[in-house]
Amino acid sequence: NTPSAMFNTRSTSPPKSAWPGVSIMFILMSLYSTSLFGQLQSVKAQVTTNLKEHITYLASDSLHGRMTGSEDERKAAAYITGEFKKYGIANYEGNFDAKKYLQGFEFNPTVDSVKTHVSGNNVVAYINNHAKHTIIIGAHYDHLGWGDPKHSTYRGEPAVHHGADDNASGVSAMLEIARELKNSSLKNNNYVFIAFSGEELGLYGSKWFADHPGFDLKQADYMLNFDMVGRLDSTSQTLILGGTGTSPTWKEVIEKIQSPLHIKSTESGVGPSDHTSFYLKDIPVLFFFTGQHKDYHKPSDVESKINYGGMELVIKYAMDLLTKLNDKDKLAFTKTKDDSNDDVPKFKVTLGVMPDYTYDGEGMRIDAVTDGKPASKAGLLAGDVVIQLGDVKVTEMMSYMKALGQFKKGDTSKVKVKRGKEIIEKDVQF
């Protein structure tokens, strides 16, 4: 049902009177079907070509990790602006002046224990359908430059943090969705597309836009955020959708979308990405995410590891969602239970692991272990499933977080993990 150039091609059949016989009709229809299949394959190949072109450039050595405020950030912004112009998508003022796509902002982060002043740029484009409501679609394009101890999980000599999945993938998905919407029949809403900067240092770009949107946010229907959508697991095909509790409409629509993707939803409107800035403005949000991995915030997050077929599935899912919501009224907003600070664990220690957020079983499965951290020293391995930490049984992520929140630096504890069919107990020191 998607009115999408990527996934659908309109077909028509000539009047029956035009065909002299069934056998000839069968032959011609077979030829037509072969031709149609070829067209669809060609369109799909073009999407992959576009995605690969975007990610290859944004994650290249020449952009040195796209640190906010750097010349490399400005080069990335210029590329994104050029793609919007190529797709015929104007700036807020309805023209194609490159400078008018940029929304400047300033902030004072602490980098390497030093207070600094940074000037960054969001890139904003707009499809004006003269509609009553506006949909916001965003992804951050900044990354970690050459890395820093506070944000990088890499402990070697300074090296370019390429950020192919985080988040050249999200920006590329947003660009292709923008192209799709520009050429689609979905005209019941306006669309604002934002490539945020300053995300890695603290959601600064999205916070600025949410406070200076350029239109009345009461007209905003909902916000879709794409962050790390390039590493879909080919076996589980799990797409994580965060924010499903921010509107009662989300679950209703999600249940109606047919897709080979396995959807794992979380209700919270708050998370470590730019949708949070819009949830805090009482706007329903949905966060698209294919999971963390061992290359997260490391130089090894490179283009060659991107699953382009998986990205196509994510984009198609998003287009199906936009299609099903095209004729609906403005979505109702609901607050999620994470609003109580009492429910959020305060951490004084870290285990030094990367959780597998796509895992649906009981416990917390470890996706990666950081060298030199407590888990590594205790002998825990990627693939282990933590089922108990101290006296707390770990059944899912929240219970793991609460268990971790009870420790302070220097504490020791027992940790039980399931490794294959075996239950192993280790001593861990924080």
Side-chain angles (χ1 to χ4, degrees), residues 38 123 260 265 323 358 374:
V123 184
S265 63
T323 300
T358 67

Side-chain angles (χ1 to χ4, degrees), residues 109-116 148-150:
T110 299
V111 179
D112 291 340
S113 302
V114 178
K115 195 89 167 180
T116 60
D148 69 82
K150 183 177 180 181

